[in-house]
Amino acid sequence: QLKDTNRENNMGAFGISTTSTVIGATVSIIIAIAVLNFTMVEPADLKYNLKGRPIKHGRKRVLIPLPDIGFDPTEVAAPWRMLTELGYSVVFATERGYGPAVCDPSSLHGFLNGMVMKIKPQALEDYAKMIKSPELRKPISWASVDATRFDGLLLPGGHHPGMKQYLDSREVHRIAREFMHVLHKPVAAICH
């Protein structure tokens, strides 16, 4: 559902005029979910993954790689909520797979005493639930990602310097290449 909850003040997820960006990110997620619904590979059609292991199919799985620190909480928590509510299994991955990734701390409170880019209450609630989820608390490592075991990829963004780890990672680049160019699976990228 596309719903602009901030219509009266035309303010986006961060409390600044970003309604079109928030709607654009939501549209990206909705399109990726729609594509996932039409591109599911049947188990009989794909028997082995890229590493030669048998593939187990169940619920549709979406991979969300994250840096250890610095992702934008709204670009991860809102899609996580939407995907899990729709019955998708979300798997998070960090560089080493040690413990949960941490969002950009300044994005929770905003800049300039909360006057700029302050997170909205719904996004804060989503983030609070997500950080307690087993999928975020026990991520897999980027190196262990086998793209054939997933049905879609979500690449969130962020402003924190910690994002460099994720943006410059050869493993994250490999994952994206496998999803897009080898397996032709849906990829959603969110960045405002």
Side-chain angles (χ1 to χ4, degrees):
Q1 283 182 335
L2 271 180
K3 182 178 177 187
D4 185 358
T5 57
N6 302 301
R7 187 168 287 143
E8 295 89 24
N9 60 11
N10 195 30
M11 302 301 270
F14 294 101
I16 60 174
S17 184
T18 59
T19 302
S20 61
T21 302
V22 173
I23 291 172
T26 305
V27 169
S28 294
I29 296 164
I30 291 168
I31 290 169
I33 291 169
V35 171
L36 278 171
N37 285 327
F38 293 109
T39 61
M40 181 68 179
V41 177
E42 293 299 321
D45 296 336
L46 187 61
K47 296 183 174 139
Y48 297 95
N49 63 27
L50 295 175
K51 295 181 181 177
R53 296 185 199 129
I55 295 172
K56 296 177 185 175
H57 281 271
R59 286 175 37 186
K60 293 180 185 176
R61 300 174 76 207
V62 176
L63 175 69
I64 304 178
L66 297 171
D68 293 332
I69 184 168
F71 65 87
D72 186 297
T74 59
E75 294 179 12
V76 178
W80 168 81
R81 176 183 48 83
M82 291 173 67
L83 289 164
T84 55
E85 285 177 357
L86 290 169
Y88 291 87
S89 175
V90 174
V91 176
F92 291 103
T94 60
E95 184 173 22
R96 292 175 199 85
Y98 301 145
V102 178
C103 78
D104 176 356
S106 63
S107 64
L108 293 175
H109 309 290
F111 300 95
L112 300 173
N113 294 324
M115 292 174 26
V116 178
M117 296 183 72
K118 184 176 180 184
I119 193 169
K120 293 288 186 180
Q122 177 64 55
L124 193 56
E125 183 181 323
D126 292 344
Y127 180 71
K129 289 178 183 174
M130 183 184 76
I131 61 174
K132 295 176 185 173
S133 71
E135 53 267 37
L136 184 68
R137 298 181 72 71
K138 294 185 179 182
I140 63 174
S141 69
W142 294 337
S144 71
V145 169
D146 177 352
T148 62
R149 299 181 69 85
F150 295 93
D151 302 293
L153 174 66
L154 174 65
L155 298 167
H159 299 106
H160 190 275
M163 288 297 294
K164 188 167 175 46
Q165 170 198 33
Y166 161 84
L167 296 171
D168 292 343
S169 167
R170 289 180 187 225
E171 284 298 325
V172 173
H173 296 174
R174 172 193 60 83
I175 293 165
R177 258 191 323 276
E178 286 178 4
F179 271 87
M180 290 187 278
H181 300 297
V182 177
L183 301 169
H184 308 288
K185 291 187 177 187
V187 175
I190 301 174
C191 189
H192 57 278

